[in-house]
Amino acid sequence: VKVRDHFNKNEKTIVVSAPLFARGSSERIGVLALYFNVTLLSDTLSGAEAISQGALTGVTTRRETLETYVVISDRTIVAGTPLFGQAPDMRLSVDTYPVRSCLDEGKEAEGFWENYLGERVGGTSMCFPDLGWVLVVEMSEREILAPAATLNQALLLIIIGVVFLILLAGFYLSRRISRPLEILTDVAHAINKGELNVRADDRAKDEIGTLARAFNTMIDSLTSANKRLEKESAELAATA
């Protein structure tokens, strides 16, 4: 498997060749060569070929940092998104975890690693051991985790909002309870000073209203008792 110019047409191709032998003998009678156009392969991996056929978007246009490329046995990228905009004879060396895993151990990889630029990426690989090829798909770790980060921010805002509403409701309830109690306290102080003309607001239908009505009943009883005492005192004074 080699990368060569295709019949001096200045087109980069991947060549896969195999010898041909005469039937029943070891005499070599020729070579079978298959040519894969590198540009067409790169366009297919990136989605550019799909766009040229009428698709609205390609694979890489949907993700900012998505890269798909092919690495051959000499650990160079021969096709894929990293070669876009490069010179036709550009060969980009790469010796990353998925490449070593395929070419050295025959194992496909998935997870997070540093790409050929030293940036943290997440991705997966596919091995073609007979060809000595590795197909690698990678995306920036930042872009992969961006939805999770956005979700965390949204959850944080929701939690802050819920806590604020709880505090607001607690403040409202505390004022609703404490204010009537303050009024009842003022009424009690007035009674203590002998002011029996005060009354508590007993319109509420809850426990505070019940307590206020009990206060008013007590005031009415004290007022009635006080009037009886004044009347009896006046009668005693008249008979003395």
Side-chain angles (χ1 to χ4, degrees):
V1 180
K2 298 292 184 181
V3 178
R4 293 287 185 270
D5 288 332
H6 186 204
F7 298 114
N8 296 320
K9 292 182 179 180
N10 199 29
E11 295 178 354
K12 285 298 176 182
T13 58
I14 299 175
V15 183
V16 180
S17 62
L20 296 178
F21 297 94
R23 180 177 297 179
S25 71
S26 60
E27 180 186 357
R28 182 180 297 178
I29 61 174
V31 177
L32 175 64
L34 298 177
Y35 291 83
F36 297 89
N37 186 289
V38 171
T39 302
L40 180 58
L41 181 58
S42 295
D43 290 346
T44 302
L45 292 175
S46 68
E49 177 66 17
I51 293 176
S52 70
Q53 298 298 324
L56 296 179
T57 60
V59 176
T60 56
T61 59
R62 300 171 191 167
R63 293 291 184 268
E64 180 182 350
T65 61
L66 179 65
E67 289 194 326
T68 305
Y69 53 90
V70 175
V71 180
I72 59 176
S73 57
D74 64 357
R75 305 186 187 229
T76 57
I77 298 176
V78 295
T81 50
L83 298 182
F84 282 173
Q86 304 293 342
D89 59 347
M90 176 68 179
R91 300 290 293 277
L92 184 61
S93 298
V94 55
D95 189 27
T96 56
Y97 166 69
V99 175
R100 292 193 301 271
S101 180
C102 277
L103 298 181
D104 297 342
E105 304 175 18
K107 297 179 180 179
E108 296 179 342
E110 61 180 17
F112 291 90
W113 55 76
E114 289 187 358
N115 66 1
Y116 57 92
L117 297 176
E119 300 172 344
R120 288 287 297 175
V121 296
T124 185
S125 67
M126 182 179 293
C127 303
F128 299 87
D130 293 340
L131 297 175
W133 292 7
V134 185
L135 175 64
V136 181
V137 180
E138 298 174 334
M139 186 186 296
S140 166
E141 183 180 70
R142 170 185 52 80
E143 186 173 1
I144 292 175
L145 299 179
T150 302
L151 178 60
N152 288 338
Q153 292 177 355
L155 288 176
L156 179 60
L157 292 176
I158 292 174
I159 291 173
I160 292 175
V162 170
V163 171
F164 175 76
L165 290 176
I166 291 175
L167 292 176
L168 186 63
F171 175 77
Y172 171 75
L173 290 176
S174 65
R175 290 299 300 168
R176 185 175 180 180
I177 295 174
S178 63
R179 181 56 183 164
L181 290 177
E182 291 174 359
I183 295 175
L184 290 177
T185 302
D186 293 338
V187 171
H189 287 315
I191 294 173
N192 187 52
K193 294 178 182 179
E195 300 175 6
L196 300 181
N197 59 339
V198 296
R199 290 293 184 275
D201 186 357
D202 59 1
R203 290 173 297 178
K205 304 300 182 181
D206 53 13
E207 291 79 2
I208 300 298
T210 301
L211 182 60
R213 286 188 288 274
F215 257 79
N216 291 337
T217 300
M218 179 185 67
I219 294 171
D220 292 339
S221 297
L222 289 174
T223 301
S224 298
N226 189 48
K227 288 181 179 180
R228 286 197 301 272
L229 287 175
E230 289 178 353
K231 181 179 180 181
E232 292 176 358
S233 295
E235 292 176 351
L236 289 174
T239 58

